[in-house]
Structure formats: structure tokens, C-alpha cells
Amino acid sequence: MMNVEKILENLDEFPTLPTIYSNLLECISNPRSTVNDVAQIISKDQSAALKVLKSVNSPLYGVSKKVETIKDAVFHLGFNEIKNLVVALSVVSTFKNLKPTKNFSLLEFWKHSVAAGVTSKLLGVASGEKNTENYFLAGVIHDIGKLFFVQFFNEEYDNLLDHANQNNIEITDAEMNYFGINHIKIGEKIAIKWQLPDIFRLVIKHYHDLEYSNGNSMIIASVSLAEYIAKLLGLGLRNTRRTILRPNPKIWEVLKLNKGQLLELYPKIIENYNQSIQILIVN
């Protein structure tokens, strides 16, 4: 087992989010900020602006009329959801050059993460949740801690993944045995480092065990079920040989969805997934 303290020393060198996020955070926290103010910040980053427009016009956000300007995008989504979308875009862009390994495909990782994001949002809507602005980003970053290991312990993590896959061991257990800490704990610390709202740290922490407070139960259960559905549908992480564990029974108590409702969602999940990976990953 490695020294946890030495492992965490690397956290300071883990990438921060681009300036566009800190600028948005500062702008949105100012009660005097307007739609124009937020739109101007996004518009300065042409790549982000283009992807924001493509995303807002995708089925994921269900906007009835085509959105042609960033100002309209901000107006339709609201400050927090547009900020979360920019964070999702930024995270994928920040790690696009991360060195993959034999047992870890960055492309498959992002495909799975995006699948979890779009599915989380659809599950929230299907469950009757009125405010789902955090659901997409929560799904996208639920496993962000894995990228820490890939960046700083590339060879060791590759061997760990190979061992876990060959022996049908859960990744979190393998990480704890080797590193003394797992990607969930690392992910929590990254969420804090990035100054993300606390709900994202709680999702990362509890989507496996579903130990949540009632106020956070819906989003945590949605991400947990979304991850399972993404694996079940083969959306990313296709190189794993581990058994797909059944979802925690607590999920059904929270989301109150039946099998028929889930089956109806599958075509929407696939459609949203295919369009979202084209916007966030391929382009």
C-alpha cells in the first residue's frame, strides 16, 4: 500500500478548471449580473460558445425553438445550468491530452461519463424533479477521481485495472488495497479544489453507497442508476470484464420508477448520448 499523504501531495498539481469557469463563478455570484454579462464571458471563448449553442439545441435540454445566440442560451437555461454546461465542456477539454493506458481508454471513460450525465438528467425529469440543472454535470464528473490516478500513477493504475478486471474485483476495492485511497475520496477533494457547489461532492461521495440526506436523495439516486444503465447499455468502458452489479434497491424507493418507464427512456438515452458525445468529445 502506498503512502496516502504522498499521493495527495500530487493534488496541488492536478489541473484546475479554465479561467472561463472562475469568471462565470464570480459573475453569477454578483446579484447585479445580467444575462448579457454571463453571455459576454462565454462568448469570449469561441470554442466553448460554439459547443454551448450545439448543446442547448440538442434534445438534452428540450428547447422548442432553435437558440442562435449565447444570450438566448443563457436566458433559456439560466445562470446555474449554463455554468454547469460550461464546466462539463471545460472538464472534457482539460483532460483531452491525458495519456491513456492499455487498460484505460480516455475516450471510453468520457463516453461513459457523458452517458451517465444525460441519463441522470432524464431520470430526474422522469421522476418528477422540477430542478434538474445539476444532474448532467453530476453524472459527467461522478468518476473524475480516476483521472487523478491515470495522470500521476499511470503505470501502477494500469496494472491495478488489469488485475481488477481479470479477477472481477471492484475498482474501489482494488484502489484501496493498493493506494490506501480510492477515486471516490480523490473525486471529493477535486470537487473542493475546483470550488464546485457541495452537491457535486456529495454525489461523488455517495452514488455508490446511497447514504444521503433527503434533500440530496433524488440526484444521488439518479446518478447511481444512470451509471448502471450506462454500463448495461454498453455506453463507454467496454474494455472491462467485471460483472455489472445490480443497482442499490434504495434507488427505487427514491425515484419511484417502474420497469416500463425505464424501457421508455432507453431510446431517449441513446439519442441524447449520441448527440452529446458528438458535441463534447468528438468535435
Side-chain angles (χ1 to χ4, degrees):
M1 183 181 293
M2 288 189 170
N3 185 295
V4 175
E5 296 300 324
K6 288 187 177 181
I7 291 172
L8 292 179
E9 286 177 5
N10 292 290
L11 199 60
D12 289 338
E13 298 178 32
F14 195 73
T16 55
L17 292 176
T19 307
I20 186 175
Y21 172 67
S22 56
N23 290 342
L24 276 177
L25 199 63
E26 183 179 355
C27 181
I28 291 171
S29 64
N30 185 344
R32 295 184 178 182
S33 293
T34 65
V35 169
N36 280 332
D37 295 329
V38 175
Q40 284 179 7
I41 292 173
I42 298 172
S43 297
K44 289 178 181 178
D45 187 324
Q46 293 184 348
S47 176
L50 181 61
K51 289 187 176 183
V52 163
L53 284 178
K54 287 183 177 180
S55 298
V56 174
N57 284 301
S58 72
L60 181 63
Y61 291 101
V63 178
S64 56
K65 185 179 179 182
K66 185 176 181 181
V67 175
E68 297 184 348
T69 68
I70 295 298
K71 180 180 176 181
D72 285 342
V74 176
F75 177 79
H76 281 288
L77 295 192
F79 285 3
N80 284 327
E81 187 141 28
I82 203 78
K83 178 194 68 178
N84 289 342
L85 176 56
V86 169
V87 171
L89 294 168
S90 298
V91 169
V92 175
S93 176
T94 297
F95 295 97
K96 64 183 179 181
N97 294 320
L98 192 65
K99 182 182 177 182
T101 71
K102 180 181 177 182
N103 293 285
F104 182 89
S105 165
L106 188 61
L107 177 60
E108 292 299 311
F109 173 84
W110 283 128
K111 283 183 176 180
H112 172 73
S113 299
V114 170
V118 299
T119 306
S120 298
K121 190 171 183 65
L122 288 170
L123 288 171
V125 172
S127 299
E129 177 62 36
K130 294 180 180 179
N131 183 4
T132 58
E133 63 184 25
N134 292 325
Y135 282 55
F136 177 66
L137 179 59
V140 169
I141 65 170
H142 75 282
D143 270 344
I144 196 68
K146 290 181 179 179
L147 298 187
F148 172 87
F149 289 125
V150 175
Q151 177 167 351
F152 295 108
F153 303 94
N154 192 274
E155 185 176 341
E156 295 94 331
Y157 199 58
D158 186 55
N159 292 333
L160 180 149
L161 291 175
D162 184 51
H163 176 73
N165 288 334
Q166 293 285 357
N167 295 279
N168 203 33
I169 300 171
E170 278 298 294
I171 296 298
T172 49
D173 294 336
E175 290 167 346
M176 286 299 297
N177 290 336
Y178 188 82
F179 293 105
I181 193 168
N182 59 34
H183 70 269
I184 294 173
K185 294 290 185 183
I186 295 290
E188 284 187 78
K189 294 182 182 298
I190 291 171
I192 295 170
K193 175 184 175 68
W194 286 349
Q195 297 182 290
L196 297 178
D198 200 45
I199 184 60
F200 296 106
R201 180 188 65 80
L202 292 174
V203 168
I204 292 169
K205 181 178 182 180
H206 293 304
Y207 83 89
H208 270 290
D209 58 36
L210 268 67
E211 295 297 329
Y212 45 69
S213 64
N214 289 334
N216 304 316
S217 59
M218 188 72 81
I219 186 171
I220 293 172
S222 293
V223 171
S224 184
L225 182 56
E227 196 215 21
Y228 169 78
I229 291 173
K231 289 179 179 178
L232 192 66
L233 296 179
L235 306 179
L237 302 182
R238 293 179 183 175
N239 61 336
T240 180
R241 291 179 289 277
R242 288 178 296 110
T243 303
I244 301 174
L245 300 178
R246 289 184 177 274
N248 192 316
K250 292 180 182 179
I251 288 174
W252 312 115
E253 299 172 16
V254 176
L255 299 184
K256 295 180 172 57
L257 294 173
N258 58 49
K259 186 177 180 180
Q261 286 174 292
L262 284 180
L263 290 175
E264 288 178 3
L265 276 182
Y266 285 172
K268 291 183 180 179
I269 290 171
I270 299 297
E271 180 187 16
N272 280 267
Y273 165 77
N274 285 332
Q275 291 212 17
S276 294
I277 61 171
Q278 288 297 319
I279 295 167
L280 274 77
I281 302 173
V282 177
N283 293 330

